[in-house]
Amino acid sequence: MAMAMNGRFACAALLAGLALCAGGMVRGADGAAQGEARVGAAVVDDDDGGGVRVHEVTSPYQRGTTEIRVLLPDALDKARRYPVVYVLPVEAGRERRYGDGLEEVRRRDLANEHGAIFVAPTFTDLAWYADHPTDEALRQETYFLDVVVPAVDARYPTVATKEGRLLLGFSKSGWGAWSLLLRRPDLFGRAAAWDAPLELERSGPYGSGAIFGTQENFAKYELGPRLEARAELLKGAPRMGFTRRCTRNWNVSGSRTSIRTVRRGYTRGRAVG
């Protein structure tokens, strides 16, 4: 997906404000072995413009070393608990050809504006937030759920409930934000996506084939069926938002839960709930 990502990241970062206003755990000390993963002590990365803490991670769920990047409010009150916005990457590693979501958040001072912790994990492969059916070192969903989220909750004063965990992404990571919430609505409270291929029906496009492995495995993650299956659970206050790219309507009988789109053209700032 060729996109002018700096502008799109700026728009996606602003969705965090909307999300915040709308309403197997890995534990242990820094550097200690935590289950099968090891999360290093935080190091401040001056290359990120200052203020970003970086934890190096080794895990059997990824092919090599990954990172958890954390941006805190300046005046962190350890007696207070903070919501966490997970700024999901669209590329592998620190690839920034489409921009850097956490840097955009830092530049706009959103952590201070919203009183929230912002977290950007990295992955060794193109991020589709799914587990490969046979490759144990390509388990992105498991890595995020069982390593990243628990490591953040163990080290920072977070609101460690679904109400305190928000997902934000664009393009592939916007798809991932919706997928993670629909598969684990008990862990995540809200998800916001920008210009995401939410209507994807098969493994293959945009580099997804290598991550999902098979069409059968992709079917476990396809958003349309997941949305319909969660219809009753998602009734009430909107928990999922998107802006711009989506070309398909999904109607869920008896529920306000649907993707409200125009088949020809684009839609902006819609919420599902």
Side-chain angles (χ1 to χ4, degrees), residues 72-78 80 82 111-112 115:
L72 304 171
D74 291 340
L76 191 71
D77 181 355
K78 292 186 177 181
R80 175 185 169 187
Y82 294 82
N112 290 319

Coordinates of all heavy atoms in Angstrom, one line a residue, residues 72-78 80 82 111-112 115:
L72 N 6.3 8.0 28.1 CA 5.6 8.3 29.3 C 5.2 9.8 29.4 O 5.9 10.6 28.8 CB 6.4 8.0 30.5 CG 6.9 6.5 30.7 CD1 7.9 6.4 31.8 CD2 5.8 5.6 30.8
P73 N 4.2 10.1 30.1 CA 4.0 11.6 30.4 C 5.2 12.1 31.2 O 5.8 11.4 31.9 CB 2.7 11.6 31.3 CG 2.0 10.3 31.0 CD 3.1 9.3 30.7
D74 N 5.4 13.4 31.0 CA 6.6 14.0 31.7 C 6.5 13.9 33.2 O 7.5 13.5 33.9 CB 6.8 15.4 31.3 CG 7.1 15.6 29.8 OD1 7.7 14.6 29.2 OD2 6.9 16.7 29.3
A75 N 5.4 14.2 33.8 CA 5.2 14.2 35.2 C 4.5 12.9 35.6 O 3.3 12.9 36.0 CB 4.5 15.4 35.7
L76 N 5.2 11.8 35.6 CA 4.6 10.5 35.9 C 4.4 10.4 37.4 O 5.3 10.5 38.2 CB 5.5 9.4 35.4 CG 4.8 8.0 35.4 CD1 3.8 7.9 34.3 CD2 5.9 6.9 35.2
D77 N 3.1 10.2 37.8 CA 2.8 10.0 39.2 C 2.7 8.5 39.4 O 1.7 7.8 39.0 CB 1.5 10.7 39.5 CG 1.0 10.6 40.9 OD1 1.7 9.9 41.7 OD2 0.0 11.2 41.3
K78 N 3.6 7.9 40.2 CA 3.6 6.5 40.4 C 2.4 6.0 41.3 O 2.1 4.8 41.3 CB 4.9 6.0 41.0 CG 6.1 6.2 40.0 CD 7.3 5.6 40.6 CE 8.5 5.7 39.6 NZ 9.7 5.1 40.1
R80 N -0.5 6.9 40.6 CA -1.7 7.0 39.6 C -1.5 5.8 38.6 O -0.4 5.4 38.3 CB -1.7 8.3 38.9 CG -2.7 8.5 37.9 CD -2.6 9.8 37.2 NE -3.4 9.9 36.0 CZ -3.4 10.9 35.1 NH1 -2.6 11.9 35.3 NH2 -4.2 10.8 34.0
Y82 N -2.3 4.7 34.6 CA -2.4 5.4 33.3 C -2.9 4.4 32.3 O -2.5 3.2 32.2 CB -1.1 5.9 32.8 CG -0.6 7.1 33.7 CD1 0.1 6.8 34.9 CD2 -0.8 8.4 33.4 CE1 0.6 7.8 35.7 CE2 -0.3 9.4 34.1 CZ 0.4 9.1 35.3 OH 0.9 10.1 36.1
A111 N 1.2 12.2 24.9 CA 1.2 11.5 26.3 C 0.9 12.5 27.4 O 0.2 12.1 28.3 CB 2.6 11.0 26.5
N112 N 1.4 13.8 27.3 CA 1.0 14.8 28.3 C -0.4 15.3 28.1 O -1.1 15.5 29.1 CB 2.0 15.9 28.2 CG 3.4 15.5 28.7 OD1 3.5 14.8 29.7 ND2 4.4 16.0 28.0
G115 N -2.6 12.3 29.2 CA -2.3 11.6 30.4 C -2.3 10.1 30.2 O -2.9 9.3 31.0

